[in-house]
């Protein structure tokens, strides 16, 4: 038995042993996010099947699903009538993905990476091509796809220097899977070089498809109405992570009055209530977005903090804000995506930790669409200062121009996927699949 086979064997049995605990955790998370309790059988490769010949796009969570929306739109243009099989790993990703479906499409959970679950998944759905978004390299899934003759693409691929160093510990498991990918479409030259060093064979640079995300115009319009009605500056905290809110609120309370309104949007919905309590404990007056529908009530205008406890409304929040503090960048968490903020014309102030989106962050600073600061105290001070800056309108214009400048990755990525799928792809001009390479041999 080869070292690769031994590594995959150990990985598979470890997952099998942990599955009972994994399902207990899913049930526990389902207390606050009921989506986790849906369609458990799909996690094992069971459940309803879809029509063969679809483009299978895996977008694990909310951020990847938003990026996948731009890619799916581009795929529909270049392969008119192609069906989409959309898979996820999180409840927020699945909820957002439901809005992307059309007649003939199918949505389900990605199965856990055991040989049996991945084999059953491919047997049930028989996709023409598989597209894994960003970092989702799963050894058994890619092996079973290879055996089935399903070409696999890692799209919008990224690998930071930090992640590459940490990944060396699992090189024995991940490198063979990376080598089995048919095509890797990287965001940047740096990502491409690191992915090639990890074993990926066919690596091309297509850019970041998140620049092609189009903010919902109705949400943007609503956000601008909110901002006009408030008649006071607004500073947003975009996608805050655990451990960031307390120091940020201390820095905020230290700012001299009158302060702008602070719009605090946590990254994870299961933390909404906990963050609300953190705000109350800080002594600041709180209002929650979930309290109203379209228009904030008049008594909410005098609050110190608004909690953005809703899903799918980030364009609204960015449009309502003068400047955004980038969550995940003030603690060593790698930062969050700043592209959506730029697309909504909202300049960004970010901390030193942006290794997950380093190229986009550096480019935004160079374009003067964003500021980088040393810590949260400086970040809060600069954000408040920027709301009072006479040149604020120019910052907003540069942010929007920066987002516009980098568009086109979704089109380039879709073209390469359609080329790779070739005649396997079923489209409106006929069911033109060359055929699934199965039936597969059932794994042990």
């Amino acid at each position: 038995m080869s070292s690769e086979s031994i590594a995959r064997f150990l990985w598979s049995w470890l997952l099998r042993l942990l599955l009972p605990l994994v399902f207990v955790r899913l049930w526990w998370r389902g207390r606050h996010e009921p989506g986790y309790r849906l369609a458990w059988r799909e996690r094992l490769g069971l459940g309803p099947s879809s029509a063969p010949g679809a483009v299978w796009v895996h977008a694990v969570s909310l951020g990847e699903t938003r990026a996948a929306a731009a890619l799916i739109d581009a795929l529909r243009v270049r392969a008119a009538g192609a069906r989409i099989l959309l898979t996820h790993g999180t409840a927020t990703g699945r909820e957002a993905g439901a809005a992307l479906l059309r007649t003939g499409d199918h949505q389900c959970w990605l199965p856990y990476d055991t040989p049996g679950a991945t084999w059953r998944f491919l047997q049930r759905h028989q996709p023409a091509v598989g597209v894994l978004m960003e970092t989702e390299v799963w050894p058994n899934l890619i092996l079973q796809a290879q055996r089935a003759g399903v070409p696999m693409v890692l799209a919008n691929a990224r690998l930071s220097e930090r992640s590459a160093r940490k990944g060396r510990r699992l090189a024995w498991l991940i490198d063979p899977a990376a080598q089995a990918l048919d095509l890797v479409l990287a965001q940047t030259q740096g990502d491409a070089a690191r992915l090639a060093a990890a074993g990926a064979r066919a690596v091309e640079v297509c850019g970041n498809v998140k620049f092609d995300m189009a903010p919902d115009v109705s949400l943007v319009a609503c956000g601008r109405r909110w901002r006009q009605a408030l008649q006071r500056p607004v500073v947003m905290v975009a996608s805050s992570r655990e451990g960031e809110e307390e120091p940020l609120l201390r820095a905020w309370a230290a700012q001299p009055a009158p302060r702008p309104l602070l719009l605090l949007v946590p990254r994870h919905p299961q933390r909404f209530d906990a963050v609300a309590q953190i705000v109350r404990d800080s002594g600041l007056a709180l209002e929650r977005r979930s309290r109203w529908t379209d228009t904030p009530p008049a008594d909410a205008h005098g609050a110190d903090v608004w909690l953005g406890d809703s899903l799918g409304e980030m364009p609204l929040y960015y449009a309502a804000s003068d400047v955004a503090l980038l969550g995940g960048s003030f603690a060593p968490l790698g930062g969050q995506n700043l592209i959506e903020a730029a697309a909504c014309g909202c300049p960004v102030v970010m901390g030193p930790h942006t290794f997950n989106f380093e190229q986009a962050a550096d480019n935004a600073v160079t374009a003067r669409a964003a500021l980088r600061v040393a810590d949260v105290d400086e970040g809060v001070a600069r954000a408040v200062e920027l709301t009072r800056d006479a040149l604020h309108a120019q910052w907003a214009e540069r942010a929007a121009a920066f987002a516009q400048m980098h568009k086109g990755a979704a089109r380039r990525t879709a073209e390469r996927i359609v080329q790779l799928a070739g005649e396997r792809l079923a489209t409106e001009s006929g069911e033109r699949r060359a055929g699934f390479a199965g039936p597969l041999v059932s794994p042990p």
Side-chain angles (χ1 to χ4, degrees):
M1 184 180 287
S2 68
S3 59
E4 177 184 339
S5 298
I6 292 171
R8 199 165 48 246
F9 175 83
L10 293 173
W11 164 251
S12 301
W13 275 103
L14 176 63
L15 278 180
R16 285 166 171 155
L17 291 171
L18 291 176
L19 276 180
L21 294 177
V22 170
F23 278 108
V24 168
R25 184 173 180 270
L26 282 180
W27 184 262
W28 183 258
R29 289 195 68 176
R31 296 176 307 145
H32 302 294
E33 296 179 84
Y36 280 105
R37 295 182 176 181
L38 296 175
W40 280 24
R41 298 174 72 243
E42 294 174 357
R43 305 270 191 179
L44 299 174
L46 301 170
S49 61
S50 59
V55 178
W56 160 35
V57 179
H58 175 59
V60 61
S61 193
L62 183 60
E64 292 83 0
T65 302
R66 288 173 175 162
L71 177 57
I72 288 170
D73 285 344
L75 285 166
R76 295 194 197 278
V77 170
R78 279 145 193 86
R83 293 186 296 271
I84 302 297
L85 168 63
L86 188 57
T87 61
H88 311 277
T90 69
T92 53
R94 184 162 181 156
E95 182 177 351
L100 308 180
L101 304 179
R102 294 185 183 176
T103 302
D105 295 342
H106 187 83
Q107 184 184 38
C108 61
W109 297 118
L110 185 76
Y112 290 124
D113 196 49
T114 63
T118 52
W119 172 78
R120 288 187 292 270
F121 171 82
L122 287 164
Q123 283 286 292
R124 274 174 165 73
H125 300 293
Q126 300 184 23
V129 62
V131 183
L132 309 175
M133 297 294 292
E134 300 200 7
T135 61
E136 293 289 293
V137 178
W138 294 103
N140 282 314
L141 183 70
I142 293 171
L143 173 66
Q144 294 291 355
Q146 189 179 47
R147 288 176 174 173
V150 177
M152 294 298 292
V153 182
L154 186 65
N156 211 40
R158 59 182 174 90
L159 182 65
S160 69
E161 187 64 47
R162 175 181 170 130
S163 295
R165 288 195 304 268
K166 293 173 68 175
R168 290 298 86 200
R169 304 171 194 167
L170 294 174
W172 51 275
L173 181 65
I174 299 300
D175 284 9
Q179 292 163 14
L181 290 165
D182 294 273
L183 183 61
V184 175
L185 303 175
Q187 294 184 15
T188 70
Q189 291 289 353
D191 292 315
R194 288 185 287 271
L195 287 159
R201 295 178 293 113
V203 184
E204 303 173 16
V205 178
C206 276
N208 191 335
V209 302
K210 290 183 177 178
F211 281 105
D212 292 283
M213 294 163 51
D216 186 301
V217 293
S218 63
L219 289 176
V220 170
C222 183
R224 288 176 178 159
R225 288 195 301 271
W226 284 15
R227 175 65 185 85
Q228 185 174 17
L230 276 166
Q231 298 184 340
R232 61 189 287 207
V234 180
V235 172
M236 175 182 174
V237 183
S239 299
S240 66
R241 304 275 291 276
E242 188 170 3
E244 288 189 305
E245 290 93 3
E246 290 92 338
L248 186 144
L249 290 169
R250 286 195 295 271
W252 189 258
Q255 292 296 306
R259 289 187 294 263
L261 173 67
L262 182 66
L263 174 54
L264 179 54
V265 186
R267 174 71 178 87
H268 298 112
Q270 65 267 28
R271 298 189 60 242
F272 287 160
D273 290 341
V275 175
Q277 190 58 51
I278 290 170
V279 175
R280 294 189 191 97
D281 291 345
S282 73
L284 296 170
L286 173 70
E287 286 288 342
R288 299 182 65 156
R289 162 71 181 102
S290 56
R291 181 189 159 204
W292 63 82
T293 52
D294 292 336
T295 305
D299 61 352
H301 290 199
D304 298 309
V305 180
W306 281 2
L307 180 66
D309 56 346
S310 64
L311 294 177
E313 292 192 323
M314 290 300 281
L316 184 156
Y317 295 141
Y318 283 126
S321 304
D322 296 276
V323 60
L325 289 156
L326 188 66
S329 69
F330 296 98
L333 300 169
Q336 298 298 140
N337 171 32
L338 58 77
I339 296 170
E340 191 171 16
C344 296
C346 183
V348 168
V349 176
M350 56 192 170
H353 306 289
T354 55
F355 51 81
N356 284 337
F357 305 92
E358 200 64 53
Q359 187 71 60
D362 289 346
N363 288 346
V365 171
T366 300
R368 298 195 69 205
L371 289 170
R372 192 186 294 278
V373 297
D375 54 38
V376 69
D377 292 316
E378 183 185 2
V380 167
R382 292 301 303 274
V384 172
E385 178 184 310
L386 190 55
T387 66
R388 298 167 181 159
D389 193 329
L391 300 178
H392 174 267
Q394 293 182 22
W395 280 94
E397 289 170 5
R398 287 194 297 264
F402 165 72
Q404 185 66 33
M405 183 189 313
H406 293 277
K407 289 183 178 296
R411 172 185 53 78
R412 292 188 291 270
T413 301
E415 287 171 353
R416 292 296 288 118
I417 292 168
V418 172
Q419 287 171 9
L420 185 65
E423 293 184 355
R424 294 176 57 89
L425 192 63
T427 66
E428 65 184 4
S429 56
E431 297 298 311
R432 295 180 294 281
R433 286 182 67 254
F436 198 61
L440 305 178
V441 176
S442 179

